[in-house]
């Protein structure tokens, strides 16, 4: 039987209810990779005929997680950023995304002076997914035509987040997801 978005949602709900915290999010990562192995889902969600931009495929009214399709028309490199009190799982579908992870060295957790160190860089290839837990700082860099599915713990339009200007040594509040980290 083909693994569908409905199957993913049902199993993700179960994983997140059974395992609150990082273990549940890791299960969501594994399930997203399983979903990305379904060529029909990938074609429908982020294939050549899918709308350009970001669109919501599912939002869980009880648990709050959101499944988003990202069809990117041009290359983009984000500044380092976090997802605030939320988490994210990025699942690559088409082309690739280069991911960088950072550690905050100044001990801060809020906007203001900030010093980061890059601790890890790797490429997400089609079919692979990565977890970025609550407070994790990361940056994404992808070419034109890159497409991925992202699951967030909450609708990021309603989550206070930070982006980091490394040259200025500052953490800056992002008021909404439309204000520009991803």
């Amino acid at each position: 039987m083909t693994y569908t978005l409905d199957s993913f949602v049902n199993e993700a709900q179960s994983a997140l209810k059974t395992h609150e915290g990082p273990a549940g999010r890791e299960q969501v990562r594994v399930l997203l990779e399983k979903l990305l192995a379904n060529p029909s889902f990938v074609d429908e969600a982020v294939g050549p005929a899918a709308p350009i931009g970001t669109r919501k495929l599912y939002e869980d009214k009880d648990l709050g997680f959101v499944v988003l399709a990202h069809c990117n028309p041009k290359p983009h490199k984000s500044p380092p950023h976090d997802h605030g009190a939320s988490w994210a799982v990025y699942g690559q579908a088409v082309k690739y995304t280069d991911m960088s992870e950072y550690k905050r060295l100044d001990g801060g957790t809020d906007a203001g002076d900030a010093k980061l160190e890059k601790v890890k860089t790797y490429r997400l290839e089609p079919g692979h997914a990565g977890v970025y837990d609550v407070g994790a700082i990361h940056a994404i860099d992808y070419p034109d035509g890159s497409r991925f599915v992202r699951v967030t713990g909450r609708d990021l339009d309603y989550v206070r987040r930070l982006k980091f200007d490394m040259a200025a040594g500052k953490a800056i509040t992002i008021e909404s997801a439309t204000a520009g980290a991803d």
Side-chain angles (χ1 to χ4, degrees), residues 101-182:
E101 297 181 13
Y102 296 82
K103 180 170 99 176
R104 191 162 177 179
L105 301 175
D106 59 274
T109 58
D110 213 341
D113 292 338
K115 183 173 180 177
L116 298 183
E117 173 185 39
K118 187 185 294 186
V119 294
K120 190 175 185 183
T121 300
Y122 52 94
R123 179 166 284 179
L124 282 181
E125 299 280 359
H128 293 121
V131 177
Y132 305 90
D133 216 337
V134 174
I137 302 168
H138 63 284
I140 64 175
D141 183 0
Y142 54 76
D144 66 318
S146 176
R147 295 172 181 228
F148 52 87
V149 176
R150 184 174 63 151
V151 182
T152 58
R154 302 268 177 270
D155 182 336
L156 295 182
D157 277 332
Y158 304 101
V159 175
R160 189 181 158 283
R161 307 178 302 135
L162 296 174
K163 67 180 175 181
F164 297 85
D165 180 333
M166 293 189 57
K170 297 287 182 191
I172 303 152
T173 300
I174 300 171
E175 297 302 330
S176 74
T178 56
D182 292 18

Side-chain angles (χ1 to χ4, degrees), residues 8 34 43 62 66 78 90 92 110 131 137 150 159 161:
F8 169 80
K34 186 175 176 181
D43 188 56
D62 294 325
V66 180
S78 78
Y90 287 76
Q92 194 66 35
D110 213 341
V131 177
I137 302 168
R150 184 174 63 151
V159 175
R161 307 178 302 135

Side-chain angles (χ1 to χ4, degrees), residues 73-84:
K74 58 185 179 180
H76 177 69
K77 184 175 185 173
S78 78
H81 62 278
D82 67 21
H83 293 137

Side-chain angles (χ1 to χ4, degrees), residues 54-58 66-70 148-152:
T54 300
R55 74 183 194 290
K56 196 177 290 186
L57 301 177
Y58 175 81
V66 180
V67 182
L68 301 156
H70 292 265
F148 52 87
V149 176
R150 184 174 63 151
V151 182
T152 58

Side-chain angles (χ1 to χ4, degrees), residues 4-18:
T4 64
L5 178 60
D6 287 341
S7 304
F8 169 80
V9 164
N10 290 333
E11 290 188 25
Q13 287 169 332
S14 178
L16 293 169
K17 286 177 185 174
T18 304

